[in-house]
Amino acid sequence: MTSDKTLMIVMGTRPEAIKLAPVALAAQRDGRMRVVVVRTSQHRQMLDQMVEAFGLPIAVDLDIMRHDQSLTQVTTAALEGLDRTIAALRPTAVVVQGDTTTTFCGALAAFHHRVPVAHVEAGLRTHDRFQPFPEEVNRRLTAQVTDFHFAPTEGAEANLRREGVPDARIWVTGNTAIDALRITLERAGERAAATGPERRILVTAHRRENHGEPMAEICRALVRLCERFEDVRVRFPVHLSPRVRATVFERLQGHPRIALEEPLGYEAFVLAMSQAHLILSDSGGVQEEAPALGKPVLVLRETTERPEACEAGCAMLVGTNADRIFDEASRLLSDEAWYGQMARAKNPFGDGHAAERIVSVLADALA
Ligand code: UD1
Ligand code: UDP
């Protein structure tokens, strides 16, 4: 089917590709709108991995990544490139996801052209402008120019209502992270279940507010956990941010039971989560995926915009103090009943069919 309506889907970083892939694929299946995927390439290799994993059809690549770029450099390059792209493509609507600089720039550039904005994963809030930094503010600013607010949970919907977004502009859909996970688990099949005698701890950390000393504290906690528990092995795929790598490699390289790895492809990372006994992470997406896989996750942050995982009992906010991380991880490694309670908690982020709901709303309204 050909259509004169164009849905422009914008992505810049790894998590946006993972969470927008189900939307792009569902919109292609729906067929009522032409789908154009635009990447700013705020991330290069880490986005390439995800574009390949989901076979995303990239129409435009703005190629803005520069080594160790500042927030202002990313913002300027993304806004300018997206402005040009929207002027050239004249889309019917622009879809952005989450809270990155690309997200905000995509929404703002669309607004400047008076093109309707659809925001996937709308309404998450910590209510602290500096945590996560700058994402909390990116997400709030994006809401100011959004026409279609796709809230993953009722909590996110309530945040938007409190800020005065009309009910008729909000749809509670579930999180498309669970769609991506479902699609990938269906592909990976039985391999997801395999595990060995050792207990694996999977770690990721990259948040800007954790750069430097907090990251060093996380590393200290990992070394102490390996000393205390002989059957523990740590897998740590290290984010490509040079600020992250400087601390992590300096502190952990060469440790016999801590494997520092390059960022994993999505399917490989999903398998790593499935095979982990415990997950330690400051990532947003991992906080959503771990509960869906029945894996307890200790959240290496002071606040979270995803309180649902903590309320459901599958996640616990532990911050970045080495003693606290060590104590809570030790408890999970020693107390089977406590471990079982966290592992059995129910995933609060949806049924894995959020993307179809999003596409159906957009196609009904725009096509
Ligand atoms: C960004 C997002 C953050 C998101 C995270 C996901 C902003 C402000 N931050 O983090 O919300 O949670 O991505 O991972 O939008 N680099 C590479 N190759 C890559 C990716 C990064 O070399 O594929 C290096 C580059 O030197 C780059 C640096 O990492 O300058 C940091 O990249 P950036 O997009 O600024 O990452 P963060 O802001 O840390
Ligand atoms: N992820 C991955 N490979 C890795 C680490 C993470 O595929 O080596 C996936 C993970 O499953 C999740 C997403 O990347 O879906 C999280 O990305 P990130 O932590 O970079 O960003 P955040 O979610 O914190 O914005």
Side-chain angles (χ1 to χ4, degrees):
M1 194 190 309
T2 50
S3 168
D4 58 344
K5 307 293 180 186
T6 299
L7 198 60
M8 172 171 146
I9 299 181
V10 178
M11 55 186 65
T13 67
R14 168 167 73 187
E16 292 162 77
I18 294 167
K19 292 173 172 182
L20 283 174
V23 178
L25 300 175
Q28 280 184 326
R29 278 198 306 277
D30 178 87
R32 282 179 281 172
M33 293 173 288
R34 193 163 73 94
V35 178
V36 177
V37 181
V38 175
R39 60 180 281 179
T40 63
S41 298
Q42 177 178 334
H43 285 179
R44 171 50 61 190
Q45 305 91 319
M46 285 162 54
L47 187 59
D48 290 346
Q49 286 179 309
M50 302 308 148
V51 164
E52 192 189 322
F54 292 97
L56 290 173
I58 301 294
V60 178
D61 182 348
L62 297 174
D63 194 22
I64 68 164
M65 196 189 87
R66 300 292 175 268
H67 184 64
D68 206 10
Q69 58 205 343
S70 74
L71 285 175
T72 300
Q73 282 173 312
V74 185
T75 307
T76 312
L79 188 59
E80 209 264 330
L82 288 165
D83 176 68
R84 266 188 282 116
T85 309
I86 293 170
L89 293 174
R90 304 185 146 277
T92 314
V94 168
V95 182
V96 295
Q97 189 281 335
D99 59 8
T100 72
T101 296
T102 291
T103 311
F104 169 56
C105 291
L108 184 62
F111 174 70
H112 287 164
H113 287 273
R114 296 177 183 264
V115 171
V117 175
H119 187 199
V120 175
E121 201 186 70
L124 279 64
R125 299 287 185 270
T126 61
H127 307 288
D128 177 339
R129 282 189 304 152
F130 292 97
Q131 297 196 58
F133 173 84
E135 290 86 357
E136 171 78 1
V137 167
N138 281 343
R139 211 187 280 271
R140 288 196 221 172
L141 294 174
T142 300
Q144 295 300 313
V145 292
T146 288
D147 300 274
F148 297 87
H149 301 258
F150 295 112
T153 63
E154 281 165 13
E157 177 190 33
N159 288 335
L160 291 166
R161 278 193 180 156
R162 265 195 297 275
E163 291 172 13
V165 178
D167 280 2
R169 296 267 123 221
I170 311 173
W171 292 264
V172 179
T173 58
N175 198 306
T176 56
I178 308 301
D179 300 32
L181 188 62
R182 178 183 58 76
I183 294 166
T184 304
L185 284 173
E186 281 167 10
R187 273 194 222 145
E190 288 303 303
R191 281 180 296 145
T195 177
E198 71 228 8
R199 292 187 291 179
R200 296 186 200 173
I201 300 182
L202 180 66
V203 183
T204 78
H206 71 82
R207 300 242 79 86
R208 280 169 186 256
E209 60 275 22
N210 283 348
H211 290 178
E213 191 45 31
M215 197 68 68
E217 285 278 298
I218 293 168
C219 295
R220 265 179 223 123
L222 297 176
V223 171
R224 286 180 58 197
L225 284 167
C226 288
E227 281 164 6
R228 160 99 192 261
F229 298 94
E230 280 185 0
D231 64 336
V232 157
R233 298 273 183 286
V234 174
R235 276 192 89 175
F236 192 162
V238 189
H239 195 281
L240 292 181
S241 163
R243 311 283 166 109
V244 173
R245 293 173 86 81
T247 311
V248 171
F249 280 93
E250 185 197 320
R251 305 266 166 175
L252 300 179
Q253 196 161 31
H255 191 291
R257 284 192 280 128
I258 300 178
L260 301 181
E261 300 178 37
E262 294 306 306
L264 299 176
Y266 186 61
E267 185 174 317
F269 189 76
V270 169
L271 291 176
M273 285 192 286
S274 308
Q275 293 166 354
H277 185 70
L278 171 62
I279 300 177
L280 270 54
S281 181
D282 68 6
S283 159
V286 175
Q287 284 176 67
E288 292 148 355
E289 293 158 341
L293 292 166
K295 302 295 174 176
V297 58
L298 297 181
V299 181
L300 306 169
R301 297 173 49 175
E302 306 301 333
T303 60
T304 180
E305 62 285 74
R306 295 167 171 86
E308 295 87 353
C310 296
E311 285 155 13
C314 8
M316 183 191 275
L317 265 187
V318 297
T320 53
N321 174 280
D323 291 339
R324 177 91 204 281
I325 299 168
F326 175 77
D327 288 346
E328 294 300 346
S330 296
R331 186 177 170 203
L332 278 164
L333 290 163
S334 319
D335 181 342
E336 269 182 44
W338 175 233
Y339 180 91
Q341 198 176 313
M342 277 189 84
R344 274 191 301 274
K346 192 173 168 293
N347 150 43
F349 296 110
D351 61 0
H353 294 279
E356 289 125 34
R357 295 184 188 102
I358 291 167
V359 167
S360 152
V361 168
L362 291 176
D364 288 353
L366 303 167

